[in-house]
Amino acid sequence: MNRRVLGVLAGLVVVAGLIAAPFGLKPYGIYILTLWAVTTIAAIGLNLTLGYAGQISLAQGAFVGIGAYAAALLTTRGWPLGSAYVIAAVACFAIGWLLGYPALRVQHHYLAFVTLAFSTLVYLVFRNEEWITGGIYGISNIPRPSLFGYLLRTPRDFYYFCLANLALVSLAAWWLIRSPWGRAFVALRENPLRALSLGVDTRRYTLMAFALGAGLGGISGVLYAPLVQYIDPTPFSLLLSLNLLLMVIVGGSGYFFGPFVGAIIAVLLPEWLQAASKYYLFYYAAFVMVLLIVSPSGIIGFFEKRFTTARKTEPPATATEPKVA
């Protein structure tokens, strides 16, 4: 059985597991699974910006916040979630495009400081512009959406709604990565000067990498608001951006499945470690540090390296001797 067939079978098992998972969980467990799906969408966006295009961004949490506030403000005034979905995605795409302009002039840690400043600015707007965001009191009673007239009231219904969104975003990202756009992103990450010499419009692809990542962050926020049904500025501080960055790096920056695995480590693992009582944060931090020391390319990179090494050490097939008539 070759590698492609094994990958397809493993993917089908994972999808079947995700579909069946809510039937053995209580509402809180379904909430955590839904949070994993919502967070993974934001991490996929950051993986496009950082992992494939090589542009450092600490602003992804701010885009999640913009999407969440857009959904909260619109749906509490009677607008359908679909309208908030489109408005937030387009608004975040446009803001992300503008935020990409500094990347045309500064790189590396200077770019990180620019996006950090943007993230802080957005957080201050959420906190201080009480007339629109509610300030520290936030926005409550955010309704769950309806789909073709059916209200997604129960945790299980909303989980499947978010899982479907994750599937659509994953398929779009899969197509993008294997398109000429994705190859241009990788060329931009590996060597911008060589990419420019080969005819790649590095300016346009840099802006597009920021815009696409920001748009997916906005979509994640639109789903987050009806999940928690109450938002305030605290979840959208710089800590969220750092947490999303952790997901991409721990899972495997530049690998398609990196954000999925990274979100498991950042969202699900702390819940599983709760059994360790007050020491769970210690175990979590130790695990992340050891993992990054052992494999700086993340979990997916670790297994890929192991698989490649195993294939190289396999003994070559012995040639069959020709039969003598």
Side-chain angles (χ1 to χ4, degrees), residues 142-167:
I142 301 171
R144 289 280 172 86
S146 297
L147 190 64
F148 304 116
Y150 178 74
L151 181 61
L152 304 175
R153 191 193 307 273
T154 67
R156 187 183 300 170
D157 292 340
F158 193 69
Y159 165 73
Y160 285 127
F161 177 69
C162 294
L163 192 62
N165 276 272
L166 175 59

Side-chain angles (χ1 to χ4, degrees), residues 199-219:
V200 176
D201 188 347
T202 56
R203 177 186 175 88
R204 184 176 61 164
Y205 285 108
T206 299
L207 297 176
M208 188 58 73
F210 270 94
L212 288 174
L216 292 181
I219 290 173

Side-chain angles (χ1 to χ4, degrees), residues 77-312:
R77 288 167 171 77
W79 289 52
L81 188 69
S83 302
Y85 204 97
V86 175
I87 291 173
V90 172
C92 288
F93 184 91
I95 297 172
W97 184 281
L98 296 175
L99 187 64
Y101 277 96
L104 302 176
R105 301 184 63 85
V106 296
Q107 294 290 326
H108 307 302
H109 54 283
Y110 297 103
L111 181 58
F113 281 121
V114 171
T115 55
L116 185 151
F118 173 79
S119 181
T120 305
L121 174 65
V122 172
Y123 174 76
L124 291 176
V125 170
F126 291 157
R127 184 180 174 84
N128 297 327
E129 299 302 321
E130 190 173 331
W131 61 277
I132 187 169
T133 65
I136 59 174
Y137 301 104
I139 301 173
S140 58
N141 298 322
I142 301 171
R144 289 280 172 86
S146 297
L147 190 64
F148 304 116
Y150 178 74
L151 181 61
L152 304 175
R153 191 193 307 273
T154 67
R156 187 183 300 170
D157 292 340
F158 193 69
Y159 165 73
Y160 285 127
F161 177 69
C162 294
L163 192 62
N165 276 272
L166 175 59
L168 292 175
V169 168
S170 302
L171 289 174
W174 181 272
W175 170 83
L176 180 72
I177 291 167
R178 276 148 186 80
S179 72
W181 288 80
R183 290 191 286 275
F185 284 164
V186 174
L188 180 65
R189 178 193 66 190
E190 297 297 328
N191 193 326
L193 291 178
R194 183 181 297 172
L196 187 62
S197 66
L198 292 174
V200 176
D201 188 347
T202 56
R203 177 186 175 88
R204 184 176 61 164
Y205 285 108
T206 299
L207 297 176
M208 188 58 73
F210 270 94
L212 288 174
L216 292 181
I219 290 173
S220 173
V222 169
L223 297 174
Y224 177 80
L227 170 64
V228 296
Q229 298 189 287
Y230 167 77
I231 59 169
D232 66 350
T234 306
F236 312 113
S237 64
L238 179 63
L239 186 61
L240 177 58
S241 294
L242 295 175
N243 209 21
L244 290 168
L245 185 65
L246 174 74
M247 293 179 203
V248 172
I249 293 176
V250 166
S253 176
Y255 292 98
F256 179 78
F257 292 106
F260 296 82
V261 178
I264 290 175
I265 301 300
V267 177
L268 302 184
L269 183 60
E271 297 296 328
W272 294 334
L273 291 177
Q274 291 283 352
S277 187
K278 60 183 179 180
Y279 296 108
Y280 86 96
L281 280 178
F282 171 79
Y283 293 133
Y284 177 69
F287 172 79
V288 171
M289 287 191 291
V290 170
L291 175 67
L292 291 179
I293 291 171
V294 173
S295 178
S297 57
I299 295 175
I300 301 293
F302 174 79
F303 283 107
E304 184 188 69
K305 191 179 296 182
R306 289 281 181 180
F307 182 78
T308 305
T309 305
R311 292 194 66 179
K312 286 181 178 177

